[in-house]
Amino acid sequence: MIADWGTDERRLSDSVSVLIGTNNGGYPSGNSLVVRGTSETVIIDPSIDVVARGGAPVPVDAVINSHSHEDHIAGNGLFADARVHVHHEDLPGVRSMDGLMAVYGLDGDARESFEQTVLDEFHFTPRPDAHGFTDGHVFDLGGVNVEAVHLPGHTRGHSGFRIDNTFFLSDIDLTGFGPYYGDVWSDLDDFEDSLVKVRDEEADFYVTFHHKGIIEGRETFVEMLDGFHSVIGRRHDAMLDFLGEPHTITEMVEHRFIYRPHVEMAFVTSVEQRSAEMHVARMIRQGEATEVEPGRYQRN
Ligand SMILES: [Zn+2]
């Protein structure tokens, strides 16, 4: 289970390195973290590239998952002898296929199709033996600690990690796409609270699982985080504009506020639906929109 990563292994300190995935960790791949201690070595979020290459640069004692999404748990089966840890609220998605599908909230044809993808492209291997951790849990690896920071919203258990001079942001991925809170297990308010919480993190390096990869310096991080956060407001405003005329959630789903029209993936409809529902609930709470007739909403 050892593979040569050459220059795709980037060292951030004596104990922390990043395994850069294909296309700088663009989905479906990602950037995994390896943390070497004197007593244990862990891999955080083993990507499909870790599977493709046949392992990490060193033997791994434990896998830590930031949350139970297919791209972050792809290597859980490869490291069959290693322990698996994930925030206790995301345990179901790591332990079984049924649990994983419940996290997304997919059913019917969309579920069937995504189940196949998760098996074929993401090597999903259930780990019924996985252990749960809570916010603030410290993994002492000998000379270096990995400290879990619960940052829910993307999923219920989504967590970041403080290690040495590095903070692993996982799917607070600072991309132009913006925050993803489209699963049944996602929550818009929790996501925003997590964005506020993580803004205080002090580190030399911030690492996202996708695209951006390694971000150097707190100033750059804060600037990117604020840009990422602002996407939520832009989506909200776009939906409010659309509700200048009364519309149903279904019409909002068809219009698309999260994905561009050409994107065709099994989960698009459910993500649009869930996101629209959360923004409309927020509008009603904030007195910005009203349900003018059953299932039809309009801006005030
Ligand atoms: Zn995710």
Side-chain angles (χ1 to χ4, degrees), residues 110-132:
R111 172 181 168 148
E112 208 169 297
S113 142
F114 202 56
E115 245 188 62
Q116 207 53 50
T117 303
V118 158
L119 287 170
D120 297 346
E121 290 173 36
F122 294 95
H123 322 285
F124 178 73
T125 309
R127 291 295 301 257
D129 57 322
H131 304 270

Side-chain angles (χ1 to χ4, degrees), residues 265-285:
M265 286 185 284
F267 49 80
V268 165
T269 299
S270 79
V271 171
E272 291 284 348
Q273 163 117 13
R274 180 90 185 121
S275 302
E277 283 168 356
M278 278 189 283
H279 279 281
V280 167
R282 176 174 281 196
M283 288 170 197
I284 290 169
R285 210 166 57 230

Side-chain angles (χ1 to χ4, degrees), residues 67 69 71-72 154 171:
H67 62 293
H69 270 164
D71 44 340
H72 298 254
H154 180 70
D171 274 356

